[in-house]
Amino acid sequence: MSMLPPTPGASPGPIARLRSLRSVAVRTPDAAAAAEFYQHIWGLNPVEADTGVTWLRGTSPEHHILEVRRADANALGKIAFSVATPREVDEAAFRLRAHGVPLVAEPGPLDQAGGGYGLRFTDPENRLIELSADVEAVVVRDPNGLEAVPRKLAHVVLNTVDIDAACDFYTRVLGMRISDWSEHQMAFLRCNSDHHVIAFNQADWTSVNHMAYEMPSIDHFMRGIGRLRHHGVTPLWGPGRHGPGNNTFGYFGDPAGLVCEYTSEVEQVDEDAWLCRVWRRVPELSDLWGTAGPPSTDVRTRMAGTPDAGGWWEK
């Protein structure tokens, strides 16, 4: 797919057609403990490691879905989306300039695990965003085997100080679509048929709320929760099934203090028939099963995260 440059004077339109949420990178003082947790308890597998950083994969051909890097404080490293070709990366750079969005890294080969060709820029709250193509693939692991291993990164939920501005940028510039609202507190955005790959939560500061990993089936989802219980790690909230997205959920805390989620059966969107709706924020809709109850004060406090101003790449 090739996107023509905008007509002079016209709206530049979305910068690219995003194919998927590729990976997320987190920065934390407890990187070693977090990497151990995601490998030996959560079910991911390391593909590469260096001093203070580990890249971990699921069962899909994606080179890695999580990067854990040593830093002075908990923070978002970056969010990476895939596009189809290097040419689309170059066209995205042209369109970002038309939108007045400066580049942190110009289009070119990516000097990182998995390589590829990409660029980087920031959103209005200084989160680092990467678009990439031609990233090295890995051999697919059996996604339907008995092992309870996440298939991919399902979504990232971000706390925002201005949900309307965040939604405007991610729809107008990145071309995402809003699938649903949870009143005016949360917005669920998609870039493909998955109900959401990014969600925004209105909050007092910018931070990561949680990251979700998709299991191949509800059976894998429950056995994954069972494995965590075997290791003495019990859910902070769940298991249950959300209203928006209709996905199962089980939320946990990792050693770094970040919240991670197992999920499965994420609702698939038919673009020609889907109607965005506004859900009420009531316990019976946040958990359709009625098994989890409302999130506790402890869960909400953990999901509030650490205030994150970004900008580490400028230091």
Side-chain angles (χ1 to χ4, degrees), residues 23-302:
S23 64
V24 65
V26 295
R27 299 166 62 82
T28 176
D30 301 309
E36 284 286 312
F37 169 83
Y38 284 106
Q39 176 183 353
H40 297 295
I41 299 177
W42 197 248
L44 303 182
N45 281 97
V47 283
E48 293 189 42
D50 203 342
T51 303
V53 58
T54 305
W55 294 269
L56 301 111
R57 63 165 296 188
T59 62
S60 77
E62 196 67 67
H63 179 272
H64 63 275
I65 61 175
L66 175 65
E67 174 189 312
V68 182
R69 185 178 294 270
R70 173 73 174 81
D72 292 335
N74 282 358
L76 178 68
K78 68 178 180 185
I79 300 173
F81 296 97
S82 68
V83 297
T85 65
R87 180 176 179 178
E88 289 186 38
V89 173
D90 292 336
E91 290 172 346
F94 181 90
R95 288 175 175 265
L96 281 165
R97 295 187 184 97
H99 277 285
V101 179
L103 297 181
V104 172
E106 295 282 342
L110 295 170
D111 183 17
Q112 62 183 17
Y117 186 91
L119 60 74
R120 293 174 184 157
F121 59 96
T122 58
D123 74 4
E125 291 178 274
N126 214 26
R127 302 180 187 89
L128 188 64
I129 307 297
E130 178 182 282
L131 303 187
S132 59
D134 289 356
V135 173
E136 179 184 345
V138 291
V139 176
V140 177
R141 297 178 58 185
D142 180 7
N144 298 312
L146 293 176
E147 194 176 12
V149 177
R151 185 170 71 88
K152 66 177 184 177
L153 182 66
H155 60 259
V156 179
V157 175
L158 303 167
N159 294 319
T160 176
V161 298
D162 189 339
I163 196 168
D164 295 315
C167 289
D168 175 71
F169 182 87
Y170 278 74
T171 55
R172 180 174 51 84
V173 178
L174 291 180
M176 303 183 82
R177 285 84 68 199
I178 299 177
S179 297
D180 283 313
W181 287 86
S182 178
E183 296 187 3
H184 196 235
Q185 179 63 39
M186 290 192 72
F188 302 86
L189 286 75
R190 67 186 185 275
C191 67
N192 49 33
S193 62
D194 288 346
H195 179 270
H196 59 286
V197 297
I198 294 289
F200 288 103
N201 176 63
Q202 181 67 43
D204 293 331
W205 54 74
T206 300
S207 61
V208 175
N209 185 288
H210 70 270
M211 297 162 290
Y213 300 81
E214 183 184 285
M215 290 298 208
S217 71
I218 195 169
D219 184 64
H220 291 83
F221 166 80
M222 290 303 296
R223 285 191 286 106
I225 291 175
R227 180 180 63 242
L228 266 70
R229 286 186 176 274
H230 176 76
H231 286 278
V233 182
T234 56
L236 300 173
W237 186 30
R241 184 183 288 277
H242 285 312
N246 198 40
N247 53 299
T248 64
F249 68 87
Y251 294 90
F252 298 84
D254 75 9
L258 300 167
V259 177
C260 47
E261 176 192 2
Y262 278 154
T263 190
S264 66
E265 300 186 345
V266 177
E267 189 158 17
Q268 297 299 292
V269 169
D270 179 349
E271 291 288 348
D272 294 330
W274 186 263
L275 293 176
C276 176
R277 63 181 290 191
V278 179
W279 293 75
R280 291 182 299 123
R281 292 182 65 79
V282 293
E284 59 266 29
L285 296 180
S286 64
D287 174 22
L288 299 179
W289 287 347
T291 54
S296 67
T297 300
D298 177 55
V299 170
R300 293 186 183 279
T301 299
R302 290 176 185 244

Side-chain angles (χ1 to χ4, degrees), residues 11-31:
S11 171
I15 62 171
R17 182 176 296 173
L18 306 184
R19 300 178 70 191
S20 66
L21 173 64
R22 191 186 289 284
S23 64
V24 65
V26 295
R27 299 166 62 82
T28 176
D30 301 309

